Amino acid sequence: MNQPFGLAPFDRSAYKELSPSPRIIMTPGPVEAEPRVLRALSYPILGQFDPEFTRLMNESMELLRHLFRTGNEWAYPVDGTSRSGIEAVLNSLIEPGDRVLIPIYGRFGHLLHEIAQRCGASVIVMEREWGGVFAPGEIAAAVTRERPDLVAIVHGETSTGRLQRLEGIGSACREVGALLVVDAVATIGGVPMETDAWQLDAVIGGTQKCLSIPSGMAPVTYNDRAERKLLKRKRIERGLRSGAGDSPSARPVQSNYLDLSQLQDYWSPARLNHHTEMTSMLYALREGVRIALSEGLEERFARHRLHERALMSGLRAMGLELYGDPGCKLPVVTCVNVPDGIDGERVRERLLRGFGVEIASSFGPLKGKIWRIGTMGYGCRQTNVLHLLGALEASLLREGRKLPAGESVQAALDVYDDQA
Ligand SMILES: *Cc1c(COP(=O)(O)O)cnc(C)c1O
């Protein structure tokens, strides 16, 4: 028989039943999923126009409005990882030739830059050395000077563990008629993020970070300023079809799957068919966001702060140095300089193999230079922090590093006992 590509006959016993090992994941994502979210993923499928499913879609929008702290009509998930939400927003809001200002202070700023360029934008970049962020006034001044059509910026930069303050940028954008787009993938549900109070026109969140839902959806929200641009482009799409057309550079949204104007019709009461909603992921999203809101956002932010404090205290007691400007540290990601003479990758491997705990390295100029430790969502808890500190200390001792044995976990326990 013809075996294309040298495919061998299928051996029915070659593959064992799926059984991934339980892990303690302390990376900046994906993190351990909430057990209740995992359960939600296993529920029976509902048809996409079943009234019961319609109700779940509507409830999810309402939950997302609370999560994003917005009165926006539009708050729904784009089906795909967080990056699909970023692509949907930028592809839908940037027309070829638009002037787009992008302040970059880490890897995900470069991603915004790349996507904006693919959208045909004329991009103006501001760069900050990794480890720091911008003063909001610097960005506001650049907005006033450059008068862009759109500004895109990362709120929590997981590559460097930094948090960009956003207050004050929105009003500068409104003065020049620019839309302000924010990547809040790493911060949503873990760090205060105020869509309306900060005058953000479009925000993209993530599921697999502080919400502890598996990767695969990108909740987005946008206001009527953003929607006006969508509707204009939709008019042009129809106009071009009938041979009319607005301005010579005006273009319909190039993507079908990621066209927010089509997605909002699907999420509107009209429920105009677009793609098939990801049933199981929607269950997971609804459950994950419900859990976050029922904990209480303020309480949740405080919990992330507490475990960050315990972790930092334990790391310092081990004689380790934290990376980056402490004035703009992202509470949910703690970056540590790999000490001289230590092979950072070997330590990570030992943590995973010996202790079942995963931490991350970083990208580009920081690859191998820092460890990144995530304390996000369900993974952000005392047992995980203590386990990691003990495991890291043991691994460093194993590598021959001199350190005051036992003090790290004690330092973290001091923080927890103070709380009790
Ligand atoms: C993780 C992350 C992304 C990308 O998310 P995916 O789900 O992998 O597409 C984008 N921006 C930031 C700030 C992130 O931390």
Side-chain angles (χ1 to χ4, degrees):
M1 203 179 83
N2 182 27
Q3 291 288 352
F5 315 116
L7 184 62
F10 186 70
D11 171 358
R12 294 198 212 176
S13 60
Y15 295 89
K16 289 195 284 272
E17 187 181 334
L18 186 67
S19 166
S21 302
R23 297 275 196 238
I24 293 170
I25 309 184
M26 302 198 72
T27 66
V31 303
E32 294 160 66
E34 250 280 344
R36 288 172 284 176
V37 168
L38 289 179
R39 215 181 307 142
L41 279 164
S42 69
Y43 292 145
I45 301 300
L46 288 166
Q48 63 172 331
F49 299 113
D50 184 324
E52 195 173 323
F53 193 65
T54 300
R55 184 163 53 79
L56 291 180
M57 287 174 75
N58 291 339
E59 286 175 1
S60 302
M61 292 176 79
E62 194 58 34
L63 289 163
L64 287 177
R65 289 184 193 109
H66 287 281
L67 181 71
F68 280 119
R69 309 239 235 197
T70 183
N72 289 344
E73 177 177 11
W74 300 116
Y76 57 81
V78 174
D79 291 343
T81 73
S82 318
R83 195 177 290 236
S84 76
I86 298 171
E87 291 240 31
V89 167
L90 294 183
N91 275 281
S92 299
L93 295 181
I94 298 174
E95 286 182 86
D98 275 0
R99 286 162 57 77
V100 173
L101 175 70
I102 305 187
I104 300 177
Y105 59 100
R107 184 218 176 177
F108 287 103
H110 285 289
L111 176 66
L112 295 177
H113 182 194
E114 193 212 302
I115 296 174
Q117 276 186 320
R118 286 175 188 258
C119 296
S122 155
V123 182
I124 309 143
V125 161
M126 306 168 66
E127 278 201 69
R128 177 69 6 116
E129 203 182 325
W130 287 29
V133 295
F134 298 89
E138 278 177 85
I139 298 174
V143 170
T144 307
R145 187 176 65 243
E146 302 288 348
R147 306 184 69 80
D149 298 292
L150 186 143
V151 178
I153 187 164
V154 175
H155 184 215
E157 183 50 87
T158 35
S159 63
T160 61
R162 305 281 61 80
L163 181 71
Q164 172 65 53
R165 283 193 41 225
L166 300 172
E167 297 97 312
I169 302 172
S171 57
C173 287
R174 286 192 186 190
E175 267 171 36
V176 302
L179 293 173
L180 177 54
V181 173
V182 171
D183 168 350
V185 171
T187 47
I188 197 83
V191 176
M193 209 294 303
E194 297 283 346
T195 301
D196 289 359
W198 297 344
Q199 300 183 305
L200 314 181
D201 296 300
V203 182
I204 304 103
T207 53
Q208 81 271 34
K209 306 202 179 182
C210 296
L211 292 176
S212 297
I213 302 164
S215 167
M217 265 193 173
V220 300
T221 187
Y222 49 89
N223 60 17
D224 48 357
R225 299 179 79 232
E227 190 185 3
R228 273 201 290 280
K229 183 137 192 189
L230 295 179
L231 296 181
K232 188 193 95 185
R233 297 186 77 183
K234 188 178 206 146
R235 254 196 346 267
I236 289 162
E237 185 191 345
R238 293 187 178 144
L240 285 178
R241 278 194 191 130
S242 62
D246 278 24
S247 73
S249 68
R251 291 278 181 283
V253 175
Q254 191 263 341
S255 169
N256 168 300
Y257 191 75
L258 299 175
D259 179 348
L260 293 178
S261 73
Q262 294 200 29
L263 290 175
Q264 77 176 41
D265 287 342
Y266 182 52
W267 283 86
S268 77
R271 239 10 100 207
L272 287 185
N273 185 229
H274 184 249
H275 64 297
T276 307
E277 185 48 24
M278 287 182 179
T279 322
S280 306
M281 271 307 290
L282 189 75
Y283 297 162
L285 180 78
R286 183 191 172 283
E287 186 59 2
V289 177
R290 186 194 67 79
I291 289 168
L293 293 173
S294 58
E295 178 177 356
L297 287 178
E298 294 305 331
E299 287 82 353
R300 201 171 167 91
F301 302 149
R303 170 165 66 83
H304 283 85
R305 280 283 185 196
L306 168 67
H307 296 294
E308 177 203 29
R309 257 202 336 276
L311 175 66
M312 290 197 302
S313 181
L315 292 168
R316 289 203 187 97
M318 235 183 281
L320 295 173
E321 223 177 70
L322 301 186
Y323 164 83
D325 176 357
C328 54
K329 187 186 171 299
L330 177 61
V332 298
V333 181
T334 299
C335 298
V336 183
N337 291 322
V338 174
D340 283 342
I342 294 288
D343 180 339
E345 288 307 286
R346 214 164 62 197
V347 170
R348 286 204 318 121
E349 209 177 292
R350 187 188 295 279
L351 288 173
L352 188 64
R353 291 239 191 100
F355 299 88
V357 51
E358 183 184 2
I359 64 170
S361 179
S362 193
F363 308 99
L366 292 177
K367 192 164 169 49
K369 299 246 169 60
I370 63 169
W371 291 309
R372 294 179 305 144
I373 303 170
T375 39
M376 294 177 150
Y378 179 68
C380 177
R381 57 188 198 267
Q382 181 170 338
T383 47
N384 275 8
V385 169
L386 295 177
H387 188 94
L388 169 70
L389 289 172
L392 183 58
E393 185 190 278
S395 303
L396 287 172
L397 284 168
R398 217 69 196 158
E399 294 289 320
R401 179 149 175 101
K402 300 272 181 291
L403 51 83
E407 284 185 19
S408 168
V409 172
Q410 292 302 317
L413 284 172
D414 287 344
V415 172
Y416 290 126
D417 287 351
D418 270 357
Q419 274 290 302

